[in-house]
Structures are given as C-alpha cells and as structure tokens.
Amino acid sequence: SNHNGGLVLFGPDGYLYTTFGDGGAGGDPQGNGQDPDSLLGKILRLEVTTSEDGDDPAYTIPDDNPFANGSEARPEIWAFGVRNPWRFSFDRATGDFYMADVGQNRYEEVNFQPAESNGGENYGWNLTEGLHCFPADTDCDTEGLVLPVAEYDHDLGISVTGGYVYRGEAIPALQGVYLYADFGTGLVWGLGRDGNGEWVSSDPIETGLNPSSFGEDATGELYVTSFDGTLYWVVDPAA
C-alpha cells in the first residue's frame, strides 16, 4: 500500500535506474527486501528500448547486470535490501551513487555505491535498520551486507530525503559535499570524507522547511523543494 518507489534516473552509463520500496506493512513481513524473486525493496538497472510497434516504451537487461541470466535473482535487479528509498543520485564528477533510505522506527540512513561497482550489493533491510540489527532486540549476521555511510536516529528526524553531491561554482566550500535532509524536522546535513577517508556528517542546519526532494541544474547548483510547493536555491549566505 506504500513504499512503492522513489525515483527514475538515467545514470552516467546511459542505463535507467529506479528504486522500489518494500511494498509497505511495518517491518517488511513479506520479506521483499531480501527476496531475489521480487522487484520490491530493490534498485533496478534497465536499458530502455522501444517496442516492436515503436510506440510503447520497453526495456532489456544490460549484459553486465549482476543477475543478468536470471538464475539467482530477477535480472532487472542491481542491488538488494532497501526499505523506502527516497531519492538517489549520481555524483556528476565521479559517477558514485548515493541513496537515502527511510527507516522504520529508529534510524534513517544514507547508502553509497562507488562508480566502479558491478552491482549486487545488499543494503540490509529487513535484517538491519541503519547500522543496527532489526528488530533492535535481535542478533543479526551483517557479513556480506553493505552498511550505510551515515545514519541518524529519530531524535533528529523521521524521514530522510536524499540529495546530491555539490559540484557547482557558487559555493566553493561545499565542493564535493553530499547534501541530505529530514522531511519531518527540516534539518539539512552535509556528508563527505575526512582526511583519513572516513565518512563524516556535518552538524545539521535548521531550515524550517519540509524538504521533499533536491534538484541539480546543468551547472551543478543545487535546489530544495519544500512540501509547501516552494522551490529553494542553495546559496552561500555570505555572498
């Protein structure tokens, strides 16, 4: 009944990526996130073609999809184990993939896939929520799972909204920083790596908005849409 999808976007490889949530119902009781025969709870990678009559859109499976032959999982699947992926993006400079995944009861998360990935990652849902086992009072085996690069608990927000890596010119200090937000509280964070290569999120900024999505223009400048119908441009307050 919910958690149906998050976005469709062409990647730097020319293929169409789309995400599907787990289909709803608390805790993914049908196990869609980990089910290789379901497209729910997955990231898909498709090659867009045209149908034989030339009118209706259709797709084929890229030869290098991780399950392209369909023997281990549906061939459309690029990655597993997402709950309610609300916005993903590619870094226009590196091709790296970022995806925000809305949590269940306790944790919101941001996931990362490097540009050189061959796909097949398992991001954990419904075995994990954020960096933690799900349900919280259980023990889980995280071997083989790709854990998020950032998380926050529900003291700070209730529903993560994924953004973009800033590659514009107007705000040099933001160069290479990934922005993401919380829909409920309006907090916005910047995420990047420190000098040791470790992922670090900034302290949050209060916006007073309900950020429902981010956008990127042709020059790499970033925008935020608020649920009240207003589009905001991310600018340097000192400029």
Side-chain angles (χ1 to χ4, degrees):
S1 61
N2 57 11
H3 301 178
N4 296 314
L7 187 66
V8 291
L9 185 67
F10 283 99
D13 55 10
Y15 294 125
L16 184 68
Y17 291 75
T18 185
T19 52
F20 286 99
D22 63 7
D28 189 17
Q30 299 180 43
N32 288 321
Q34 297 296 316
D35 183 356
D37 294 320
S38 172
L39 297 183
L40 293 173
K42 310 295 189 301
I43 304 169
L44 310 185
R45 181 177 183 250
L46 313 170
E47 182 172 11
V48 176
T49 61
T50 56
S51 58
E52 292 182 1
D53 59 18
D55 294 327
D56 297 327
Y59 69 86
T60 58
I61 305 300
D63 291 338
D64 57 350
N65 267 16
F67 311 106
N69 62 12
S71 63
E72 299 177 55
R74 292 282 295 271
E76 296 95 337
I77 293 173
W78 178 249
F80 280 84
V82 297
R83 178 180 180 270
N84 186 19
W86 194 249
R87 300 303 189 250
F88 62 88
S89 64
F90 294 90
D91 182 342
R92 64 194 298 158
T94 66
D96 294 332
F97 177 90
Y98 292 77
M99 178 195 63
D101 199 10
V102 178
Q104 175 77 36
N105 297 318
R106 298 191 177 191
Y107 301 100
E108 307 297 305
E109 66 182 68
V110 175
N111 295 283
F112 173 81
Q113 184 186 77
E116 61 270 19
S117 170
N118 294 317
E121 288 90 345
N122 186 340
Y123 291 106
W125 179 252
N126 64 351
L127 304 174
T128 57
E129 181 186 17
L131 295 166
H132 312 269
C133 292
F134 181 86
D137 58 353
T138 62
D139 292 325
C140 60
D141 183 3
T142 60
E143 184 177 356
L145 303 182
V146 178
L147 298 178
V149 295
E151 69 164 14
Y152 59 91
D153 63 28
H154 282 194
D155 290 336
L156 292 174
I158 58 171
S159 181
V160 66
T161 298
Y164 289 82
V165 175
Y166 181 79
R167 293 297 180 186
E169 296 181 357
I171 316 175
L174 272 185
Q175 189 63 220
V177 175
Y178 173 79
L179 297 185
Y180 65 101
D182 186 83
F183 174 79
T185 61
L187 297 178
V188 175
W189 292 263
L191 173 68
R193 296 181 190 263
D194 63 16
N196 297 318
E198 300 294 326
W199 291 97
V200 179
S201 281
S202 68
D203 292 332
I205 295 172
E206 296 185 6
T207 66
L209 309 176
N210 294 115
S212 55
S213 193
F214 286 77
E216 180 185 42
D217 69 17
T219 65
E221 301 301 330
L222 298 186
Y223 303 82
V224 181
T225 58
S226 182
F227 202 62
D228 64 2
T230 307
L231 176 65
Y232 293 88
W233 179 23
V234 179
V235 299
D236 183 350

